[in-house]
Amino acid sequence: MFIFDAHLDLAMNAQEWNRDLTRPLDEIRQREHGLADRPDRGRGTVCLPELRRGNIGLVVATQIARYAKPSHPLGGWHSPAQAWAMTQGQLAWYRAMEEAGEMVQVKDRAGLEKHLDRWKTPENPVSLPPENAAPQPIGYILSLEGADSIITLNHLERSCEQGLRAVGPAHYGPGTYAFGTDSDGGIGARGRELLTEMDRLHLILDATHLCDTSFREALEVFQGPLWASHSNARSLTPHNRQFSDNQLKELFRRGAVIGAPLDAWMMIPGWVRGQTTPQGTQLKLEKMAEHIDYICQLAGNARHSGIGTDLDGGFGREQSPMDLNSIADLQRLPELLHKRGYKNGDVESILHGNFLRFLREAWKW
Ligand SMILES: [Zn+2]
């Protein structure tokens, strides 16, 4: 079955983790043998061949770079200009992938339908391109995770011209335009300006990572389409990173689709990074089906649930379900959802249909 993944940090992996994502997964892991600079070395689960193998033909791919004042708890670039340059470098990698035929940017409705036609194989939903065939390009929708790199509103307009289609104003900690995960505060004058300009440019608001106060204020100011690209429910995993039932209901009311992530600490309570293990907790992909089911039950339908794995978003196999070796294993989700009683139509909605409907309705281009 065709899968839409609403959150992958592909360029970040290419440039900060130094992963050539055009290569086979085994080879990428091999080249990280002996490296200890990051906990997920040698444990990545995402590359372009695996996306193809898993029939994950369309993804939301991020630009991501944090600006950090000296007091920022997590650190980051020391000026917005450096953060901007980083995101522009990430865009340059996506462009290189386009030139190589590995990826294609999807930024309007015509491009979306053309790309879906390219991947359409109704009688063989998991078709593999023949050996030696040119690689099927992975479609990507450009998104910005944390807006600190937007130096001025003019930079937002320039990004929009480059194909940017969704913006999450905050990431972790206090940001220029909103407060993110593990911090608290309102959006302020600059956040208001950004959201108003996003409305004017018809950009999608990504509510993921907004702290509760910024979430409330952002939804008051912003009138356009919004989604939550990679968020779970606070009822199942109590932490400010996830959404409360009331927030989820507000998102449903606004027509949002919520992508379910596969970062272990967001899937089960009490995860301690570097200590808890998938094996020790017997965390499996079935847990993702449970989170999806929770969203559907709360909404009373299957129209607001989607996939937003965040795989390789700063973690690898040490912090994801133990029965997932590569992102292609997402193809086991239909079976897991069927076991929970989901009919084919609803499974298709969750795996791609909801986000596609959202884009067809939201995009003015
Ligand atoms: Zn994130």
Side-chain angles (χ1 to χ4, degrees):
M1 188 175 288
F2 187 79
I3 296 179
F4 180 104
D5 189 337
H7 192 84
L8 287 174
D9 299 314
L10 296 178
M12 181 190 89
N13 272 269
Q15 289 173 285
E16 292 184 66
W17 268 247
N18 195 8
R19 289 173 172 166
D20 178 359
L21 298 182
T22 67
R23 305 303 303 163
L25 196 56
D26 280 348
E27 186 183 313
I28 295 172
R29 288 175 178 169
Q30 273 297 317
R31 286 203 70 172
E32 297 184 3
H33 191 76
L35 290 182
D37 58 329
R38 301 175 191 271
D40 56 332
R41 282 299 184 197
R43 300 191 178 104
T45 55
V46 180
C47 64
L48 301 178
E50 289 301 302
L51 286 170
R52 285 182 199 108
R53 196 167 70 83
N55 209 5
I56 305 152
L58 184 56
V59 306
V60 179
T62 61
Q63 294 171 296
I64 176 168
R66 182 189 301 128
Y67 158 56
K69 291 179 181 159
S71 58
H72 196 288
L74 293 173
W77 295 104
H78 290 183
S79 69
Q82 287 165 276
W84 168 257
M86 190 71 200
T87 61
Q88 290 302 295
Q90 290 164 346
L91 179 66
W93 179 78
Y94 289 122
R95 294 285 189 242
M97 289 299 100
E98 291 178 54
E99 283 170 35
E102 294 274 355
M103 296 179 74
V104 61
Q105 191 180 48
V106 175
K107 57 180 181 175
D108 52 32
R109 279 178 296 181
L112 176 65
E113 302 308 334
K114 189 177 164 200
H115 184 67
L116 294 174
D117 276 347
R118 198 181 274 139
W119 278 77
K120 205 176 275 172
T121 50
E123 64 293 328
N124 183 10
V126 197
S127 77
L128 298 177
E131 291 280 320
N132 304 324
Q136 185 86 306
I138 301 294
Y140 79 98
I141 295 160
L142 192 62
S143 169
L144 182 63
E145 183 170 28
D148 294 350
S149 59
I150 299 300
I151 306 172
T152 69
L153 294 184
N154 177 261
H155 290 79
L156 186 68
E157 190 163 5
R158 276 156 69 183
S159 290
C160 189
E161 281 160 17
Q162 293 169 342
L164 184 72
R165 291 296 177 259
V167 176
H171 191 221
Y172 280 85
T176 304
Y177 299 100
F179 282 75
T181 302
D182 290 334
S183 66
D184 189 40
I187 58 175
R190 292 202 68 187
R192 258 166 250 280
E193 278 170 20
L194 181 87
L195 289 161
T196 305
E197 183 68 357
M198 281 170 58
D199 254 337
R200 188 183 76 78
L201 296 169
H202 302 299
L203 292 169
I204 296 159
L205 169 63
D206 189 346
T208 290
H209 282 297
L210 289 172
C211 76
D212 290 358
T213 307
S214 287
F215 176 91
R216 198 182 61 241
E217 293 184 4
L219 265 62
E220 277 167 19
V221 172
F222 188 76
Q223 297 305 314
L226 52 101
W227 67 28
S229 62
H230 57 307
S231 292
N232 273 337
R234 204 174 286 181
S235 295
L236 297 184
T237 318
H239 189 280
N240 70 71
R241 169 72 179 78
Q242 321 309 334
F243 286 126
S244 69
D245 286 0
N246 280 339
Q247 288 174 317
L248 288 168
K249 285 178 189 163
E250 179 65 13
L251 290 169
F252 302 154
R253 207 179 60 72
R254 296 277 293 258
V257 181
I258 291 119
L262 280 169
D263 191 342
W265 82 268
M266 305 194 350
M267 300 178 77
I268 50 175
W271 185 279
V272 183
R273 276 197 189 81
Q275 286 183 33
T276 316
T277 63
Q279 286 75 17
T281 49
Q282 289 295 297
L283 174 64
K284 294 187 178 155
L285 207 51
E286 162 33 50
K287 197 59 155 177
M288 187 190 215
E290 186 184 328
H291 280 277
I292 288 169
D293 188 41
Y294 185 87
I295 298 287
C296 294
Q297 300 297 343
L298 190 70
N301 58 59
R303 288 172 59 81
H304 297 280
S305 175
I307 309 296
T309 65
D310 200 15
L311 285 172
D312 288 358
F315 63 95
R317 290 204 68 196
E318 79 290 352
Q319 198 173 297
S320 46
M322 58 187 281
D323 54 348
L324 181 136
N325 178 49
S326 114
I327 192 165
D329 292 325
L330 285 180
Q331 281 299 338
R332 295 216 317 280
L333 265 181
E335 188 197 331
L336 294 171
L337 290 167
H338 285 143
K339 272 193 190 149
R340 286 181 167 264
Y342 283 73
K343 304 259 183 324
N344 245 339
D346 284 342
V347 174
E348 282 173 11
S349 296
I350 293 163
L351 268 69
H352 60 258
N354 289 333
F355 272 117
L356 296 182
R357 181 196 68 235
F358 178 98
L359 289 171
R360 286 170 175 140
E361 287 170 5
W363 273 354
K364 303 279 183 256
W365 300 279

